Amino acid sequence: MNFFRLSHWNPSVFLVISTLAVLSGCAPDVAPQRESTPDVDRSLRTGEAQGLRVFGEIPAFSLTDQHGEPFDRSQLDGSIWVATFVFTRCGATCPYQTAAFTELQQTLQRADEWGKVQLVSFTVDPEFDTPEVLTEYGNKAGADFEHWHFLTGDRSSLWDLSKDGFKLDVQSGRDATNLIAHSSLFVLVDQDSKIRGYYEGLSPEANKKLLEDVRELLDQQDPTRRDRVTEVSVPRDVRDPKWLEPRARAQRALAPGYDVTCDFQFTDTLSASGITFKDNVVDDVKRDFKAAHYDHGSAVSVADVDQDGLLDLYFVCQLGSNQLWRNLGGGKFENITESAGVAVADEVSTGASFADVDNDGDADLYVTRVRAPNRLFLNDGTGVFEDVSEESGLDHVGHSSGAVFFDYDRDGLLDLLLTNVGEYTTQQRGPGGYYLAYKAAFTGHLFPERAEPNILFRNLGDARFENVNEKVGFDDVSWSGDATPIDGNDDGWPDIYLLSMQGHDQYFENQQGKGFVSKGLKLFPNSAWGSMGVKVFDFNRDSRLDLYVTDMHTDMVHDVEPENEKQKMTRNLPISMLATDGNHILGNAFYLKDGKDSYREVSDKIGAENYWPWGISVADLNADGFEDVFITASMNFDFRYGINSVLLNDHGKRFLDSEFILGVEPRAKGTAQLWMELDCDGADAKHRLCEGRSGKIHVWGAAGSRSSVVFDIENDGDLDIVTNDFGGTPMVLTSNLTDNHDVHALSVELVGTRSNRDGLGALVDVQVGEEHLISVHDGKSGYLSQSRMPMYVGLGDAAQADSVTVTWPSGIVQTLPGPIPSNQKLTIVEEGEIAE
Amino acid sequence: MAANLRSTFAVAAALIAAGVAFSIGWRGLREEPALTHLDVKVVGLDYHLYFHYPGTDAVLGTSDDRLGSRNFFAPANASVDLNLTSRDFVYLVEIPEVGLYEVAAPGLEFKTRIETGDSGVHSLLGSQMCGYDHPELIGDFVVQRSADFRRTVRKLSPAPLPANRTQ
């Protein structure tokens, strides 16, 4: 019998069982030897009208518990307890009484009140109900025997206790040989063994009152409880997942066998940094959790906004002010949001992209938002920004997401590809003024009227932009969160790989700046269905630029156990929901470039899979000449914890899982964060987490990152990582690589003259001996973000580069002859003639 | 006396035989054919799955429809056409035994067909997509002989009128 599945909450069950109980006394063979009922007024049962009055006192008793150990009343002294009388062979009321006790146990456990309150089930069938039988019975009921006791003893003792102690109706004789006909009442007893209430065990209402009265007694016992805050973890082990440490140990044990530099550590230096930013998220993904695109979070980007040689940080959040933190050097930052004028505190922000849109040599900023005009800020060169959104033509209103600056027509001006998710919100506003999401936001892509076009804006000069979708034939309404330029056909013109978070990714071939042709299914016939992050880089140093795509939405469909995170999902959603040809990679995709317009998917072969991934940051974390990967991950409340991934590049052959080895995991701040506070006696009384709880509760949910950026915070020669964690505080993961190693690397800053000022789209080839370390300068790092920062090229053991060749978007190919000593910042100004 | 007894027994035997024959014939006349096809509408609402069955008129969408929840009943060896939708969230509906894996989503109607196979009880795994766990969405897929299925459906509550939100 599964007591948990029995429901005594069904009124018809209550009526039928109550009737049976009355007719049969729950003991079919009972002899009609009715004893007189003690003189106790239980007419009110719960004493509701009289407060918690005292009905009598439980006398001392000595019985035997389910383990065969002696159990007497003194073991309950000081505890509040609830008693009932049952027997294991009973098929009438007892299963429902026991099921109600199981529920009560669970409710008390959830509220952290278990132990302060104990349960006692007395048998009325002592001859049959031996300790062994009671143990089995209790196990089936899911009883925690530490605080739920099943007691037996000699018949007369139990009879006396039932009738004289608990003052319950007893319809069988004291010396009879049949069962003791028992009551289905629950009896509440206080810490002084005083009876404080009777409750019909089969009545849902009475049991609710019982719980209230239990808590009233607990409050009387400890008045400070009234101000208590109960800690609730969702899921229960989220603050200490049992799988995490064994996994960490297993990974660390592999480190000695790694043929890559991995003997360095990242340390979270947030508190020392002075950064106090906290990501405030909307209630749709917090208090009133629903699966909606607000859970994609927001960006973190970097740029040297005041041109002091240090990279500054811009954090985006959903509610309240975005924040710009100026790098003071030495790992310290100060908040300059107000003076910079980039708070964007109204409405919900999502993405942030730094780029020099007016070619004046400083970092301008574009902020995307949800159903509010996107904002373009021009920098005056000192870190003070002017809002030129309206006149720029970039004040698009939609459900905007990632924005990517690149020069599609190679005219020397940065154009903009703006991705828009699609209409996932209703007309109603929630707390803080955000638009409430549809309850079924993730079917949005099945409603054509909810689609929003992704838009290509051409830069006309003077920070004026024009939507050229029609002019260039860029026609796409994918539910997209990000995109990247990529030169698939090696013709020097940037093509577009556009992510679809709910469908096939798209690829648009650039027709030499004059138009675009869709070739997605031809080049990438089986893309990931739920694409989220993307980065182009040369994985295996074959001088071809490969493509890495993370897939988040596929991972949302089914739970994956921690030990299976490196495997693909075994199935996706039904085809009706996919709304595609169903030909998808069920997880991350890694396309190794074989040649012009030719890619080979190798994600499983090289270990590129992970779980719940968002954005990708690619950088040479150990400066060995092969670019590594940091992937933000985890889904936050109410899912289990998920780790961020660090994939060290094993000489272009495969990725090595290294997040635990390098100290990135477990997060120093813990696997969970305080997600929300609920007032179960007040405004949140109807919240599902307040069911069975009272007072204030603090709900803990999993920590999770969304966006990240990898750069050298302190200019000490190694790369650090900063994240924007969803609904939480960021991580400032500072590397100590240069403390332990003689690192050889070059920092390369490009200054375009004929090309766009930032040199975005330039190919940089650092030659070291026979090796060509190719990188594309695209500013991409992390989800929803674009940063303006120098390129970092690790040289491995080489103390110098033999040459650096830049292929500019203008077509100019410029070579700096070597030797070029490592550990310096090269500023390369575009010059020369365009090569044929 | 003996003759009278024989005569009485003969009459009684004849009456019994006639009664038996009538009974068999009546049952034969009354026995409804096995169901080979069924239309069912599945509606997700408030973390429950509701199943709308055709009533005695065998036509879904009429006033004598019946409504069940949690457990899904179907006749054995029949084709069942399911029409799934939802009034609030997105629900995944799965019966591994018969290969059902479909979505119930608001504003959309997804149609699918299953073949029920022999009588038996199988798992019905409902879930809210990307949401909390809801034990109420887990139930049984009960495949019954046609006669039993008819009896089961007759015992279900009348389905609400189309204006009702579970329709």
Side-chain angles (χ1 to χ4, degrees):
Chain A
M1 179 172 292
N2 185 342
F3 296 108
F4 184 69
R5 294 193 69 174
L6 287 173
S7 173
H8 67 292
W9 300 103
N10 184 329
S12 59
V13 170
F14 171 52
L15 278 174
V16 170
I17 300 300
S18 300
T19 306
L20 276 174
V22 167
L23 291 174
S24 69
C26 203
D29 301 328
V30 66
Q33 297 172 297
R34 187 179 180 86
E35 299 287 328
S36 61
T37 304
D39 184 20
V40 174
D41 175 13
R42 293 195 302 272
S43 58
L44 290 170
R45 295 303 190 200
T46 64
E48 187 172 5
Q50 303 168 34
L52 285 176
R53 53 182 288 201
V54 175
F55 292 95
E57 182 171 349
I58 302 297
F61 60 78
S62 292
L63 298 168
T64 302
D65 73 8
Q66 69 283 341
H67 299 314
E69 300 292 329
F71 193 102
D72 57 50
R73 197 206 64 183
S74 65
Q75 288 172 251
L76 297 165
D77 288 352
S79 289
I80 293 158
W81 51 290
V82 184
T84 194
F85 286 79
V86 295
F87 63 103
T88 63
R89 291 187 287 181
C90 167
T93 66
C94 310
Y96 295 91
Q97 291 168 255
T98 301
F101 262 33
T102 301
E103 282 189 37
L104 184 56
Q105 172 185 294
Q106 291 169 343
T107 301
L108 294 168
Q109 284 172 331
R110 281 199 301 272
D112 206 18
E113 293 165 336
W114 183 239
K116 298 166 191 158
V117 180
Q118 312 214 35
L119 304 181
V120 184
S121 295
F122 295 93
T123 180
V124 293
D125 186 10
E127 288 189 359
F128 183 82
D129 286 342
T130 61
E132 293 76 21
V133 171
L134 290 174
T135 297
E136 186 182 349
Y137 186 77
N139 281 331
K140 285 180 181 169
D144 170 9
F145 291 131
E146 191 168 347
H147 302 299
W148 183 355
H149 315 283
F150 293 80
L151 304 184
T152 185
D154 65 73
R155 188 181 193 283
S156 56
S157 298
L158 289 162
W159 192 95
D160 290 345
L161 193 59
S162 179
K163 178 175 170 296
D164 300 329
F166 287 94
K167 306 183 192 320
L168 295 169
D169 292 337
V170 180
Q171 296 183 2
S172 50
R174 186 175 190 276
D175 301 321
T177 54
N178 53 12
L179 293 170
I180 303 168
H182 68 95
S183 163
S184 57
L185 292 181
F186 294 163
V187 186
L188 174 61
V189 184
D190 69 14
Q191 66 275 12
D192 299 320
S193 304
K194 301 284 196 307
I195 297 171
R196 306 302 296 270
Y198 292 89
Y199 310 83
E200 176 47 64
L202 307 180
S203 160
E205 290 308 314
N207 284 322
K208 279 185 187 171
K209 186 66 173 71
L210 166 63
L211 186 62
E212 288 172 16
D213 290 351
V214 164
R215 287 178 171 152
E216 176 60 28
L217 287 181
L218 286 168
D219 289 346
Q220 288 175 15
Q221 199 177 27
D222 176 12
T224 63
R225 265 178 48 88
R226 295 180 198 279
D227 304 319
R228 74 193 183 284
V229 175
T230 305
E231 306 272 320
V232 177
S233 296
V234 182
R236 189 170 285 181
D237 71 342
V238 73
R239 295 162 80 173
D240 184 22
K242 297 292 176 280
W243 53 269
L244 198 60
E245 187 49 36
R247 182 161 167 180
R249 277 199 305 272
Q251 187 183 99
R252 290 181 193 125
L254 297 174
Y258 282 6
D259 189 24
V260 298
T261 302
C262 61
D263 56 343
F264 63 105
Q265 290 286 297
F266 289 92
T267 304
D268 189 351
T269 58
L270 175 70
S271 57
S273 73
I275 294 171
T276 57
F277 171 79
K278 183 175 182 295
D279 181 36
N280 294 315
V281 299
V282 300
D283 266 0
D284 261 4
V285 284
K286 191 175 183 182
R287 181 191 181 280
D288 308 317
F289 176 79
K290 63 176 94 156
H293 299 77
Y294 282 122
D295 65 13
H296 291 212
S298 35
V300 57
S301 301
V302 301
D304 180 5
V305 299
D306 54 358
Q307 305 191 81
D308 64 353
L310 295 165
L311 291 166
D312 311 302
L313 281 161
Y314 186 68
F315 293 99
V316 177
C317 75
Q318 291 181 343
L319 292 178
S321 172
N322 300 334
Q323 293 183 6
L324 179 60
W325 288 81
R326 179 171 171 261
N327 191 336
L328 302 172
K332 305 284 186 189
F333 291 81
E334 68 172 347
N335 187 343
I336 59 166
T337 310
E338 286 303 313
S339 61
V342 290
V344 199
D346 62 318
E347 305 291 351
V348 172
S349 295
T350 49
S353 298
F354 280 115
D356 185 356
V357 301
D358 53 1
N359 284 343
D360 65 352
D362 54 37
D364 307 309
L365 173 64
Y366 188 59
V367 179
T368 61
R369 305 200 291 167
V370 177
R371 295 179 68 172
N374 296 331
R375 296 283 187 89
L376 177 66
F377 295 95
L378 293 185
N379 190 341
D380 72 356
T382 67
V384 175
F385 291 81
E386 178 189 4
D387 186 343
V388 297
S389 311
E390 202 172 332
E391 52 267 42
S392 73
L394 291 184
D395 56 341
H396 176 78
V397 179
H399 296 75
S400 293
S401 189
V404 186
F405 287 100
F406 73 119
D407 185 3
Y408 82 88
D409 54 1
R410 295 168 56 185
D411 65 352
L413 296 168
L414 285 176
D415 311 303
L416 178 70
L417 174 56
L418 172 67
T419 62
N420 293 296
V421 177
E423 186 186 317
Y424 59 83
T425 60
T426 67
Q427 296 301 324
Q428 291 177 286
R429 297 247 191 185
Y434 74 100
Y435 286 97
L436 293 173
Y438 287 109
K439 284 181 175 177
F442 277 102
T443 56
H445 63 291
L446 303 178
F447 295 84
E449 68 274 18
R450 293 189 197 167
E452 293 181 356
N454 299 297
I455 303 174
L456 184 62
F457 290 97
R458 181 168 179 265
N459 191 335
L460 305 175
D462 296 325
R464 303 289 197 276
F465 290 79
E466 173 191 19
N467 179 337
V468 291
N469 276 11
E470 280 193 33
K471 281 185 182 174
V472 301
F474 181 71
D475 180 17
D476 185 85
V477 291
S478 302
W479 282 54
S480 180
D482 218 333
T484 186
I486 180 173
D487 188 5
N489 57 0
D490 300 325
D491 67 352
W493 293 88
D495 311 304
I496 295 171
Y497 190 91
L498 187 131
L499 305 181
S500 171
M501 62 178 74
Q502 288 161 234
H504 275 298
D505 291 346
Q506 302 295 325
Y507 176 83
F508 294 91
E509 187 182 84
N510 190 337
Q511 307 300 300
Q512 302 196 336
K514 296 183 176 61
F516 285 88
V517 174
S518 175
K519 291 190 172 180
L521 288 175
K522 183 180 174 194
L523 265 68
F524 305 96
N526 60 344
S527 63
W529 184 79
S531 301
M532 214 56 71
V534 63
K535 185 69 179 89
V536 173
F537 70 105
D538 182 3
F539 166 69
N540 55 359
R541 292 304 186 198
D542 64 353
S543 298
R544 297 188 184 109
L545 293 171
D546 311 306
L547 176 68
Y548 194 2
V549 178
T550 52
D551 178 346
M552 165 62 208
H553 275 169
T554 297
D555 285 352
M556 288 188 73
V557 179
H558 302 288
D559 291 338
V560 169
E561 295 302 314
E563 60 271 25
N564 297 323
E565 287 182 2
K566 292 296 289 184
Q567 298 168 21
K568 289 283 190 292
M569 298 291 284
T570 51
R571 61 177 177 164
N572 207 322
L573 288 160
I575 194 71
S576 54
M577 180 79 178
L578 295 178
T580 65
D581 62 7
N583 186 18
H584 295 292
I585 295 162
L586 301 184
N588 298 346
F590 197 103
Y591 300 100
L592 206 59
K593 186 165 186 176
D594 287 333
K596 178 184 172 186
D597 280 345
S598 175
Y599 291 88
R600 184 162 40 100
E601 206 288 311
V602 296
S603 56
D604 287 335
K605 187 178 174 188
I606 65 170
E609 189 53 56
N610 76 330
Y611 193 45
W612 287 332
W614 296 98
I616 304 173
S617 292
V618 170
D620 192 354
L621 298 174
N622 53 10
D624 65 354
F626 288 87
E627 296 208 272
D628 312 299
V629 178
F630 176 79
I631 305 177
T632 54
S634 195
M635 264 301 293
N636 299 86
F637 179 86
D638 67 331
F639 297 86
R640 73 167 171 87
Y641 176 67
I643 59 167
N644 287 326
S645 295
V646 178
L647 305 176
L648 288 181
N649 188 331
D650 184 8
H651 304 90
K653 293 179 290 189
R654 58 179 175 153
F655 285 123
L656 300 170
D657 298 323
S658 305
E659 55 281 336
F660 293 101
I661 295 168
L662 300 181
V664 168
E665 288 289 342
R667 299 173 203 224
K669 64 180 179 181
T671 55
Q673 61 200 35
L674 180 58
W675 191 248
M676 58 185 165
E677 180 180 304
L678 299 176
D679 180 4
C680 292
D681 295 331
D684 304 309
K686 291 185 177 173
H687 194 281
R688 65 187 300 275
L689 289 175
C690 283
E691 193 177 314
R693 294 188 172 100
S694 61
K696 287 190 169 52
I697 62 172
H698 281 174
V699 181
W700 288 76
S705 306
R706 294 295 183 273
S707 189
S708 61
V709 63
V710 179
F711 68 108
D712 187 355
I713 292 176
E714 328 96 304
N715 282 343
D716 65 349
D718 56 28
L719 293 173
D720 312 299
I721 304 168
V722 176
T723 66
N724 191 348
D725 282 15
F726 190 59
T729 53
M731 290 189 292
V732 179
L733 301 169
T734 304
S735 170
N736 68 354
L737 179 70
T738 50
D739 296 348
N740 306 322
H741 293 272
D742 291 327
V743 166
H744 304 122
L746 285 175
S747 176
V748 180
E749 181 175 6
L750 301 179
V751 178
T753 52
R754 297 178 67 160
S755 302
N756 66 82
R757 172 64 177 72
D758 288 349
L760 288 179
L763 272 180
V764 176
D765 177 359
V766 177
Q767 187 176 359
V768 181
E770 298 299 312
E771 297 292 327
H772 288 269
L773 311 179
I774 301 275
S775 309
V776 61
H777 183 46
D778 59 14
K780 294 286 293 174
S781 178
Y783 188 44
L784 307 169
S785 308
Q786 190 171 22
S787 290
R788 186 174 187 266
M789 55 186 176
M791 302 167 76
Y792 179 95
V793 184
L795 303 180
D797 295 331
Q800 60 191 30
D802 296 315
S803 68
V804 175
T805 300
V806 180
T807 304
W808 295 89
S810 63
I812 291 174
V813 178
Q814 181 178 355
T815 299
L816 273 67
I820 302 169
S822 63
N823 301 335
Q824 63 166 318
K825 180 177 176 182
L826 292 178
T827 300
I828 303 175
V829 180
E830 182 181 16
E831 59 184 29
E833 296 301 317
I834 296 172
E836 290 299 324
Chain B
M1 183 67 180
N4 281 346
L5 272 175
R6 272 197 299 275
S7 166
T8 304
F9 278 129
V11 169
L15 283 173
I16 290 168
V20 169
F22 177 77
S23 172
I24 291 170
W26 178 246
R27 260 193 282 153
L29 283 173
R30 288 192 58 206
E31 193 160 298
E32 295 173 284
L35 286 165
T36 57
H37 180 263
L38 179 71
D39 289 314
V40 176
K41 184 168 186 177
V42 184
V43 180
L45 175 67
D46 289 340
Y47 318 118
H48 290 77
L49 293 175
Y50 293 92
F51 300 93
H52 293 240
Y53 304 92
T56 50
D57 64 0
V59 178
L60 189 62
T62 62
S63 58
D64 76 336
D65 284 358
R66 301 316 238 202
L67 180 69
S69 71
R70 192 159 191 166
N71 296 328
F72 171 30
F73 299 93
N77 302 309
S79 295
V80 179
D81 283 336
L82 295 165
N83 190 345
L84 300 97
T85 190
S86 165
R87 296 288 174 245
D88 45 29
F89 299 99
V90 183
Y91 299 94
L92 281 169
V93 184
E94 185 176 10
I95 304 175
E97 187 73 18
V98 294
L100 173 66
Y101 181 50
E102 194 45 270
V103 164
L108 298 164
E109 291 197 347
F110 293 128
K111 300 179 194 303
T112 189
R113 172 175 286 190
I114 58 173
E115 302 294 333
T116 59
D118 294 334
S119 300
V121 179
H122 314 298
S123 294
L124 167 63
L125 308 174
S127 61
Q128 183 196 354
M129 185 184 157
C130 312
Y132 295 114
D133 289 338
H134 299 286
E136 305 84 3
L137 289 167
I138 309 291
D140 290 330
F141 173 49
V142 183
V143 181
Q144 301 172 300
R145 293 186 309 114
S146 288
D148 294 336
F149 170 75
R150 286 191 173 99
R151 267 192 292 277
T152 299
V153 169
R154 275 199 294 272
K155 288 177 189 168
L156 294 174
S157 309
L161 295 171
N164 186 290
R165 60 195 195 126
T166 60
Q167 280 279 332

